[in-house]
Amino acid sequence: MSATIFLWDNLGPPHYDRLESAQMYFGPDRKVIGAEIFGDSNEYDWKKGAGDSARVVTLFEERSAFGTLSFLKKLAGLVRRAKARHVFVCNYDRGYILLAAALLRLMGRRVYLMIDSKFDDKPRQLSREILKAIYLLPYNGVLAASDRSQDYLRFLGFRSEQIRAGYDTIDVARLRAQCSFSVPAFAERPFVIVARLVAKKNIHTALRAFALAFRQTRERRLKICGSGPLLEELKALAAELGIADLVEFTGFLQTEAISDAVGQSLALVLPSTEEQFGQVVAEAVALSIPVMVSLACGARDELVRNGVNGFIFEPTNVEGLAYLMKLIARDELLWREMAENSKSFLPLADSARFAEAAAKFVQME
């Protein structure tokens, strides 16, 4: 039995969703293997757990044991033992991934990149983009996350037929099954932010907009789910703005608690100044919750329509975000209409799309 390998830094709930969907789509004649380089994550403290059918392999239980040569040896050994013909990887900008892609091509395997980068993520320099195009030469195709990701890949030299959409997806059924779906009254629903507490998530702007909108009326609350180095700074800002009693910092939450927090919210707010995609947007769509996202978020390309299932705003526009917050907070009919409209975006958020896109590459051989 041949296998297809999907390689990530570390596996969490979204990765298991995609692996399980791929195994279901591929069927019993092709084994799906999820390989993680490291047994833990530097960014997320998510619980470990495997899916029901896809096999999971950890190359290095301890980060201290990692080395480029040992990584290449372990990956090549896994590919040979599994008789894998197709390998999907991410983090193309790391030297050891480039070496792995080149090695796999020399072994006669087909290698695909999984990516959510966009041209507008940061200022671009021509020399770096030329170097990047060279880094991408070993790849037979790309699984991209958004429309802008696909545009960026075409800019870097990939042909349209080498690109498939559907990378940053989740299992909609899992999200809905694990959400308690308790139904707070409209007036009791808080806004929710789910993000690491780092500068590019731009939570300062969300706090200022929330204060501008509700400091006087005290009619809404804001729940911020996540951990990171800016926690104390953000708490201090909330106090300075006079909204400390309206803002709850929950810390990092596991996927079940995130589903409850989003599912019981008024709207998800993601004000990032830099956001390749924004996985939590797909989770909000899965739970039929309106979303308010900045222009920077890749997820808005396909999962958000302005005025339909949410709002799109400039990430530095405090007054504009405050206006949109007040608009949805005071119009229950609008909120219910947007929540209902979210259902039409479910197929675009679901991990079945990832599986179908990967299968098209595998079947092209």
Side-chain angles (χ1 to χ4, degrees):
M1 179 189 300
S2 62
T4 298
I5 295 174
F6 296 88
L7 176 71
W8 283 285
D9 250 18
N10 176 253
L11 298 178
H15 307 104
Y16 292 121
D17 286 350
R18 296 166 204 161
L19 292 170
E20 291 300 301
S21 292
Q23 187 64 78
M24 290 177 61
Y25 195 96
F26 287 4
D29 294 332
R30 182 179 294 273
K31 186 64 178 174
V32 169
I33 298 175
E36 59 179 4
I37 301 176
F38 305 110
D40 61 351
S41 170
N42 279 333
E43 295 182 354
Y44 303 104
D45 190 26
W46 43 39
K47 292 186 300 187
K48 300 300 293 182
D52 295 328
S53 56
R55 178 186 168 197
V56 172
V57 176
T58 301
L59 299 184
F60 296 92
E61 291 291 349
E62 301 293 336
R63 286 180 176 267
S64 59
F66 175 83
T68 297
L69 291 179
S70 58
F71 164 68
L72 295 175
K73 182 178 179 180
K74 283 176 177 285
L75 180 60
L78 174 62
V79 169
R80 289 195 186 96
R81 290 192 303 273
K83 300 178 180 178
R85 292 286 305 154
H86 304 267
V87 182
F88 292 75
V89 305
C90 59
N91 298 316
Y92 71 92
D93 53 332
R94 299 178 184 176
Y96 60 84
I97 293 295
L98 173 62
L99 291 173
L103 174 62
L104 292 170
R105 288 299 301 272
L106 289 173
M107 293 172 62
R109 271 56 177 187
R110 298 182 67 83
V111 189
Y112 308 92
L113 181 64
M114 301 180 289
I115 190 172
D116 47 21
S117 296
K118 318 182 304 299
F119 188 89
D120 61 4
D121 287 333
K122 59 186 70 176
R124 303 293 182 181
Q125 297 178 347
L126 179 60
S127 58
R128 291 181 63 86
E129 297 308 297
I130 292 173
L131 179 62
K132 191 176 298 180
I134 295 172
Y135 263 59
L136 295 173
L137 287 175
Y139 298 100
N140 298 99
V142 190
L143 256 175
S146 66
D147 291 347
R148 280 176 287 170
S149 289
Q150 295 179 69
D151 290 342
Y152 187 35
L153 290 163
R154 282 187 281 267
F155 167 78
L156 290 171
F158 285 96
R159 302 184 306 276
S160 293
E161 59 267 27
Q162 291 179 285
I163 305 169
R164 296 283 184 272
Y167 174 41
D168 280 329
T169 50
I170 44 89
D171 184 349
V172 168
R174 175 183 67 83
L175 265 291
R176 297 182 69 84
Q178 72 185 17
C179 181
S180 67
F181 276 106
S182 64
V183 186
F186 172 74
E188 297 174 357
R189 287 178 174 266
F191 290 93
V192 66
I193 295 173
V194 180
R196 290 182 294 124
L197 307 186
V198 295
K200 70 178 184 178
K201 299 299 182 177
N202 195 30
I203 298 172
H204 297 76
T205 291
L207 285 170
R208 291 189 174 96
F210 182 82
L212 184 60
F214 306 114
R215 179 169 47 208
Q216 298 301 321
T217 64
R218 325 297 285 184
E219 65 193 278
R220 290 290 174 183
R221 297 182 61 82
L222 173 62
K223 180 178 289 190
I224 299 177
C225 308
S227 58
L230 297 185
L231 175 60
E232 295 305 319
E233 182 178 319
L234 293 169
K235 285 183 175 180
L237 178 60
E240 177 186 330
L241 293 169
I243 55 172
D245 60 318
L246 299 179
V247 180
E248 176 187 1
F249 291 88
T250 69
F252 181 84
L253 299 179
Q254 297 295 341
T255 179
E256 297 86 358
I258 289 294
S259 293
D260 278 344
V262 174
Q264 296 171 21
S265 71
L266 180 72
L268 171 76
V269 182
L270 192 59
S272 307
T273 55
E274 178 189 333
E275 190 72 64
Q276 284 72 28
F277 189 77
Q279 188 72 67
V280 70
V281 175
E283 297 180 15
V285 167
L287 298 171
S288 299
I289 294 298
V291 290
M292 307 176 74
V293 299
S294 74
L295 288 166
C297 299
R300 61 99 169 167
D301 293 1
E302 294 184 327
L303 298 182
V304 187
R305 287 294 173 268
N306 208 13
V308 177
N309 68 321
F311 296 114
I312 302 168
F313 58 90
E314 300 98 333
T316 57
N317 188 347
V318 173
E319 293 80 6
L321 178 55
Y323 172 81
L324 295 175
M325 284 180 158
K326 288 189 288 187
L327 185 63
I328 199 169
R330 296 171 181 173
D331 191 336
E332 184 172 357
L333 182 61
L334 172 65
W335 178 80
R336 292 191 179 280
E337 182 179 334
M338 286 187 165
E340 182 64 27
N341 290 342
S342 292
K343 295 177 182 178
S344 65
F345 295 86
L346 290 177
L348 294 174
D350 194 77
S351 53
R353 192 173 176 222
F354 172 89
E356 182 178 0
K360 285 181 178 177
F361 282 129
V362 172
Q363 292 164 2
M364 284 171 59
E365 184 179 358

